[in-house]
Amino acid sequence: MHAASDDVGLIRRMWAGWSWFWFTPADPTPLCFMRIVVGLLTLYVHVAYTFDLEAFFGPKGWCDQTESNLTRRELPHLRVRWDWTEENYYFRMPLDKRQRNLVRDLMFNILKSPEPDRVLMFMHSLGLAGNERDELLRYLRDMPTDKAERDASLQALLDEKLPEEEKSLLPKFFLRQTTLESRQSFAAEAKRFQDLLPAGKDDRRILVQLLLDTSPIDWQAFQDFVRNLQGMSPAERDEFMAYFMTWAIPKSVTHTVGMSQFSPWFHVTDLRILWLLHGLHILAIIAFLVGWQTRVSNVLTWFVGLAYIHRAQPYLFGQDTMMNLAHFYLMFSPCGARWSVDRWLERKRAQERGEQAPPVRPSISAGFVIRVFQVQYCFMYMSAGLSKLKGPSWWNGTALFGCLNNPEFSPMHMSLYRDFVRWMCEHRIAFELFNTGVVVFTLLLEIAFPFVVWTRLRPVVVACAILLHMGIAILMGLNIFSMYMFALLLAWFPPATINNVFGWDDACVEQS
Amino acid sequence: MNEPSADPGRGDFSNPDRAAIIGLVVTAAGGVLGAPFRTNDPPGYVSVAAMAVIVFGLIVTGIGIARKPRSIPGLLLGAGASALAWLGCHVAWDSYHLLTGVMTAVALVASLVLLMPRTGRRLFVSGLVAFHFCGVMASITSPAPQSWISLWSWTTLFRPHLVFCYTNNAYQFYSPEPGPANLLWFCIEGHDGRKAWFKIPRKPETRLDPLGVEYFRRLSITESANQNYSLAAVPQQALDRRYQAVQQIPMHPEIPTQSQYRLPQDNVRRWIASYVRHVGQMYGGAEKVKSIRLYRVMHQPLDVGMFRAGEDPFAKWTYLPYFLGEYDVDGNLNDPYDPTLFWLVPIVRKTPSLAGIARQKGAPVEVDNYLARHAGSDPFEEDTDARSK
């Protein structure tokens, strides 16, 4: 009886603790300040897109619309099995499009031939012949493409009195046929197979080279694959091959296909509309920045950010992740409660009524979103820190130098910086102390942050995080990324600190 | 008149804000306008206008909901407007079916949640938080080597949510090691036989904005071309073919053979073809361009010894170009059996160590530039390099 009530008590206490953590009202000031910082950064990021708008998001951009849409609609996600059975081995299509087309044509030619089973049997027997398979394939490749010429040359092979020097040029596989009947039969099979190869010399060379490169296991898999196609109706086969030709894997081994993404840039082909939408997007971001209809403009800004992100996967880097996180979480918060047009209008209307505007009060949603930012930050630092432990340079202390000396990231084109790196390399003690020191600082900070930041040491670790991101901004040029990280760090700032600097007369009435 | 609720967070059945009703009507009007043109034909101006009306209607509905966020009828109007937007979207804008579908679902679920008592609402939100952060955890742990649980949960459970919200980053910055940057160099050959080089990114030309965002975007493009299959050894056929060309283009003497061959992943090759098409268009399309040779160029940073020896971090030999193929303007690979395909084309310094000649510190290093031979044009020459034009 006691045990049961203890359990209930424990659950109640846990729930109370959970509720306290997530659902305690908090002053929205850090989030309002974050809105302004993030809004400015996001505005900058999207104005910067203007330089490359058509090249990035136009129908013929770096990642063109056709390819992007194909990826969005069809990208395979392989099935993860619940049991220990492995997926059946299937024929791996070559990576090149032209090679794929040639392989598909060969498959379809086999299926369309009068006796596909005999062709497959012939291929099977070739597969057992080891190197002699390759010899025969080369022989078939080099035979005349004209059928009459080809038949004449094959007919000559059936002559029993073939001179020895000509015999030495023939594939061994052919010479093993000892009787005339078997030679005739073999010549007929070879002819049948050769008929299925492309007529064009270049295409034939590429296809035969592909077959020569095929391992025994793939050779067999090819035949199994064709037999599998043989069992399908023409409609099923077309559907199956349409996917297989694009992605080189059967749809049946996928859990699902496609990406849950949206963007006008997937659809807009008219460049005037492209520019018009870009302009409207920037207006939405400005509305969010100034806090006009903040709830709606926040959602719009998140959608706008996603629209660029979803269409532009190969152009993205860390800053886009941080930008998106900021907008996604701010969307659930009253981040327009202060320093916003909404607030200004609220006060103005109240004044017109001869009343005082209702004060900004702590809210559960502000507390909740601050917690979400904090937990997210801990996840990010923990992952960044722990994953570094996989790399030897983070153990031997040279990881920083791997960043400092990277000419495409660091300001290596500046002679002052280059001289500094050179000076450091000339002085071993300075080099080791600086590099190892920063590496240890980074690892300690990133791994310890999720634990220490909840203690009285919070100001220290937050200051260290600012230092880390300043270093990243200066030495690696990732300015906007670092500024977004600073913006997210505001979730750890006490509202009083922000009020002391930017408070004016509109502070929250009750500090949480 | 509605009585004030004992539970201040709970939803009510008060009249929705007028804006929500107007928004629903406007959205419906947009849907009606676009409905006759909702065919498989490409969208025309009427469809675009209808879409604009729909978006405007949704924004107005949103403003209505924001004014009275606890009004359950208001949220239901929002769900209705989103559903109408879903119906009104042109078939070709299929990605917006996803967005409007999500908006409808969110509005419906929110109206249900508002009906719950405070504890129920908190439990529901707690469940969402747990789901979201479990998804973040799956993202973090999903890059190889990963556990079955990470892989399964990422593929099956969390992927749609995390991809939609773009919260699927693993946050494994600079791990396991900071690596060298990659560049893309395109050698464009015209029908007149002239060749030009186009390189991305390059400082300071592509530092278009003061904080370098567009420069880093270009650097991301080049990094996206650097996802290769991890091979236990170079495939024998590729090695055999490479040896056929070794007289003209020797192997790099200072790099192991295994590291001189990089087979790009299938999805990368799709993007590469797209990049080639884009550059082909920039240079005038099929009318002017005969072929495009593409190199992924790893810019090797100097090590401590090289810095001490006074080497230049931008010296020619610090660039390691991997040949990604010769393409037509449509992005089709001209010869999949090119002996040097996916191989490093060396730019080798005539080093003091090899030549046995002491070199003055910081003096220029002479190189054997096999890239110039391979492409038929020197990427470092001013008159072929697009930088000078």
Side-chain angles (χ1 to χ4, degrees):
Chain A
M1 195 64 190
H2 265 295
S5 62
D6 282 355
D7 285 350
V8 171
L10 179 67
I11 291 168
R12 277 210 178 125
R13 282 200 305 278
M14 281 171 65
W15 174 244
W18 175 270
S19 290
W20 169 82
F21 185 84
W22 289 107
F23 303 114
T24 302
D27 183 345
T29 298
L31 299 170
C32 300
F33 192 58
M34 198 187 285
R35 187 200 81 238
I36 294 169
V37 179
V38 167
L40 281 171
L41 293 172
T42 304
L43 182 64
Y44 179 88
V45 167
H46 286 78
V47 169
Y49 271 134
T50 309
F51 293 109
D52 284 314
L53 194 68
E54 290 178 23
F56 283 173
F57 304 105
K60 290 179 182 170
W62 281 99
C63 301
D64 60 33
Q65 213 172 56
T66 314
E67 199 58 56
S68 302
N69 273 319
L70 198 65
T71 304
R72 174 174 66 85
R73 291 181 184 134
E74 294 191 1
L75 184 79
H77 303 283
L78 293 181
R79 186 171 54 201
V80 183
R81 297 196 76 110
W82 279 71
D83 53 25
W84 296 100
T85 24
E86 301 212 345
E87 294 291 354
N88 288 334
Y89 188 83
Y90 53 87
F91 174 68
R92 310 268 164 186
M93 271 296 214
L95 297 177
D96 181 58
K97 202 164 114 187
R98 185 174 174 189
Q99 290 175 319
R100 273 184 202 177
N101 288 338
L102 290 170
V103 171
R104 180 201 53 197
D105 293 347
L106 176 64
M107 288 173 174
F108 280 20
N109 286 344
I110 293 172
L111 293 173
K112 276 190 281 184
S113 67
E115 293 173 286
D117 288 332
R118 289 193 69 162
V119 178
L120 292 171
M121 280 297 289
F122 177 68
M123 288 188 74
H124 181 69
S125 62
L126 281 185
L128 301 174
N131 289 339
E132 292 178 19
R133 175 199 80 171
D134 295 355
E135 207 181 20
L136 187 82
L137 285 171
R138 285 194 198 96
Y139 186 79
L140 293 175
R141 176 191 64 193
D142 297 336
M143 284 183 88
T145 45
D146 179 70
K147 282 196 178 173
E149 268 185 68
R150 192 266 321 265
D151 290 351
S153 70
L154 273 175
Q155 191 59 40
L157 299 181
L158 301 177
D159 185 355
E160 286 196 70
K161 289 168 193 160
L162 201 64
E164 278 304 315
E165 60 270 25
E166 282 192 37
K167 270 189 183 175
S168 68
L169 298 173
L170 293 176
K172 287 190 198 74
F173 206 104
F174 186 84
L175 293 174
R176 290 194 200 288
Q177 317 303 318
T178 49
T179 64
L180 180 63
E181 289 74 31
S182 64
R183 282 209 298 278
Q184 280 173 335
S185 157
F186 185 79
E189 300 290 350
K191 203 158 69 175
R192 189 177 289 120
F193 184 72
Q194 215 240 6
D195 279 340
L196 306 175
L197 298 178
K201 217 168 178 179
D202 207 31
D203 281 349
R204 182 184 293 195
R205 177 184 67 85
I206 289 175
L207 178 64
V208 171
Q209 188 58 50
L210 199 64
L211 295 175
L212 287 171
D213 289 351
T214 305
S215 67
I217 189 166
D218 270 329
W219 184 263
Q220 185 55 47
F222 176 87
Q223 298 156 53
D224 296 341
F225 191 85
V226 178
R227 284 188 200 284
N228 190 25
L229 287 180
Q230 210 176 359
M232 294 180 189
S233 70
E236 280 175 336
R237 192 184 300 162
D238 288 347
E239 193 193 336
F240 179 86
M241 284 306 282
Y243 192 80
F244 193 72
M245 285 296 290
T246 311
W247 299 102
I249 58 165
K251 213 172 186 175
S252 55
V253 302
T254 63
H255 164 69
T256 179
V257 298
M259 309 278 277
S260 43
Q261 295 174 328
F262 68 91
S263 170
W265 314 135
F266 283 125
H267 313 297
V268 171
T269 51
D270 187 330
L271 294 180
R272 288 167 302 179
I273 296 179
L274 184 91
W275 282 101
L276 176 71
L277 283 177
H278 182 60
L280 291 173
H281 288 170
I282 287 176
L283 285 180
I285 297 167
I286 292 172
F288 167 73
L289 167 64
V290 300
W292 182 58
Q293 296 290 350
T294 314
R295 287 280 185 187
V296 178
S297 61
N298 199 344
V299 176
L300 277 178
T301 305
W302 183 57
F303 284 165
V304 164
L306 278 182
Y308 291 80
I309 285 170
H310 281 174
R311 169 70 169 81
Q313 297 289 320
Y315 321 140
L316 304 178
F317 60 108
Q319 96 180 6
D320 297 292
T321 305
M322 300 310 151
M323 176 184 80
N324 177 66
L325 282 176
H327 288 292
F328 180 45
Y329 294 149
L330 280 178
M331 207 165 60
F332 301 100
S333 75
C335 63
R338 295 185 69 188
W339 303 308
S340 63
V341 173
D342 288 345
R343 179 66 183 159
W344 177 74
L345 287 173
E346 194 180 20
R347 293 173 72 176
K348 195 170 160 237
R349 282 181 200 130
Q351 261 179 352
E352 282 167 4
R353 290 194 302 268
E355 296 167 8
Q356 280 235 315
V360 179
R361 290 188 183 281
S363 71
I364 290 179
S365 62
F368 173 76
V369 171
I370 285 173
R371 287 300 192 201
V372 170
F373 272 119
Q374 291 174 340
V375 172
Q376 178 73 39
Y377 219 91
C378 291
F379 270 103
M380 292 193 296
Y381 263 45
M382 180 67 102
S383 174
L386 290 181
S387 62
K388 285 183 177 75
L389 296 180
K390 291 187 285 187
S393 68
W394 290 100
W395 287 94
N396 65 23
T398 58
L400 175 70
F401 188 65
C403 303
L404 291 181
N405 68 352
N406 190 321
E408 301 299 332
F409 281 87
S410 64
M412 192 65 82
H413 54 288
M414 293 163 65
S415 58
L416 190 69
Y417 178 80
R418 203 152 58 202
D419 290 345
F420 161 69
V421 177
R422 194 157 283 150
W423 176 86
M424 202 168 55
C425 291
E426 294 284 0
H427 299 83
R428 179 141 199 188
I429 298 290
F431 178 92
E432 299 292 355
L433 282 177
F434 182 64
N435 279 282
T436 312
V438 173
V439 163
V440 170
F441 170 77
T442 307
L443 288 177
L444 270 181
L445 176 65
E446 290 187 339
I447 297 171
F449 187 96
F451 304 102
V452 181
V453 77
W454 306 104
T455 67
R456 280 180 300 171
L457 287 174
R458 179 180 289 187
V460 178
V461 286
V462 170
C464 288
I466 291 173
L467 203 62
L468 175 74
H469 291 296
M470 270 175 68
I472 291 174
I474 293 165
L475 298 177
M476 305 180 66
L478 294 165
N479 306 301
I480 295 281
F481 168 76
S482 299
M483 285 192 248
Y484 271 116
M485 293 305 280
F486 293 151
L488 299 189
L489 274 174
L490 288 169
W492 301 101
F493 274 56
T497 310
I498 299 168
N499 278 328
N500 284 344
V501 186
F502 302 101
W504 303 317
D505 61 340
D506 200 20
C508 188
V509 288
E510 296 163 52
Q511 299 297 328
S512 57
Chain B
M1 187 83 186
N2 285 279
E3 289 294 317
S5 171
D7 177 357
R10 198 167 185 174
D12 56 49
F13 288 93
S14 61
N15 288 333
D17 190 88
R18 207 166 30 175
I21 301 168
I22 295 169
L24 178 80
V25 173
V26 174
T27 310
V32 169
L33 181 65
F37 303 93
R38 206 169 177 272
T39 59
N40 284 327
D41 299 330
Y45 284 109
V46 179
S47 301
V48 174
M51 190 68 183
V53 174
I54 286 171
V55 172
F56 180 71
L58 286 177
I59 291 173
V60 174
T61 313
I63 290 171
I65 294 173
R67 281 184 188 162
K68 288 178 96 172
R70 292 201 173 79
S71 163
I72 290 167
L75 279 168
L76 291 175
L77 285 177
S82 305
L84 285 170
W86 188 90
L87 290 169
C89 274
H90 191 276
V91 179
W93 293 323
D94 57 337
S95 79
Y96 274 84
H97 291 142
L98 171 75
L99 178 62
T100 47
V102 168
M103 285 163 65
T104 310
V106 167
L108 283 175
V109 171
S111 56
L112 286 177
V113 172
L114 281 179
L115 285 174
M116 295 178 186
R118 192 177 79 162
T119 309
R121 287 200 308 275
R122 288 189 174 185
L123 275 171
F124 181 83
V125 172
S126 301
L128 284 184
V129 167
F131 178 80
H132 175 71
F133 281 113
C134 285
V136 170
M137 198 65 200
S139 288
I140 287 171
T141 55
S142 61
Q146 75 282 73
S147 69
W148 179 89
I149 290 175
S150 288
L151 189 62
W152 174 83
S153 60
W154 160 245
T155 308
T156 315
L157 214 56
F158 300 116
R159 193 184 43 75
H161 160 66
L162 296 175
V163 170
F164 182 85
C165 300
Y166 190 59
T167 46
N168 52 349
N169 200 299
Y171 310 110
Q172 299 190 357
F173 305 120
Y174 297 100
S175 66
E177 315 247 24
N182 286 277
L183 317 170
L184 286 178
W185 290 3
F186 299 81
C187 179
I188 302 110
E189 184 179 2
H191 288 297
D192 56 1
R194 289 170 64 179
K195 292 185 177 176
W197 287 88
F198 179 76
K199 303 173 184 175
I200 59 158
R202 57 198 309 163
K203 284 178 182 171
E205 286 88 335
T206 44
R207 225 179 152 83
L208 299 169
D209 58 289
L211 296 176
V213 173
E214 297 307 279
Y215 171 80
F216 283 104
R217 293 214 181 281
R218 281 174 169 75
L219 207 54
S220 298
I221 292 179
T222 62
E223 280 307 320
S224 70
N226 184 31
Q227 293 165 34
N228 305 301
Y229 288 110
S230 55
L231 303 171
V234 180
Q236 192 57 43
Q237 301 94 337
L239 203 56
D240 291 345
R241 280 195 281 275
R242 181 68 182 89
Y243 285 135
Q244 289 168 18
V246 85
Q247 292 299 322
Q248 296 79 40
I249 311 288
M251 307 286 265
H252 199 297
E254 298 169 18
I255 296 175
T257 306
Q258 168 80 14
S259 305
Q260 294 193 41
Y261 182 77
R262 288 282 178 268
L263 182 64
Q265 290 177 2
D266 201 13
N267 59 333
V268 172
R269 296 179 68 172
R270 307 168 67 81
W271 290 126
I272 285 172
S274 177
Y275 301 162
V276 167
R277 286 195 288 272
H278 177 68
V279 172
Q281 290 297 322
M282 278 168 56
Y283 277 79
E287 276 179 29
K288 292 191 176 169
V289 177
K290 184 181 163 199
S291 69
I292 298 171
R293 283 174 167 254
L294 176 57
Y295 301 86
R296 176 179 61 79
V297 182
M298 188 191 289
H299 193 175
Q300 194 66 28
L302 301 182
D303 62 24
V304 175
M306 290 167 178
F307 264 111
R308 295 185 65 221
E311 302 287 10
D312 176 8
F314 297 96
K316 293 178 184 177
W317 57 268
T318 59
Y319 295 96
L320 303 177
Y322 285 82
F323 181 48
L324 296 184
E326 184 179 29
Y327 298 84
D328 63 17
V329 282
D330 294 325
N332 298 312
L333 191 60
N334 283 349
D335 183 6
Y337 291 109
D338 186 310
T340 54
L341 186 64
F342 306 133
W343 283 92
L344 173 65
V345 180
I347 301 171
V348 195
R349 53 186 166 159
K350 293 173 180 170
T351 55
S353 58
L354 288 177
I357 306 161
R359 193 167 58 81
Q360 204 181 349
K361 198 171 179 179
V365 181
E366 285 191 35
V367 294
D368 284 325
N369 184 351
Y370 292 102
L371 177 60
R373 184 186 290 180
H374 187 266
S377 168
D378 188 345
F380 301 107
E381 288 286 331
E382 289 240 323
D383 58 339
T384 55
D385 192 346
R387 179 203 288 258
S388 58
K389 296 193 172 62

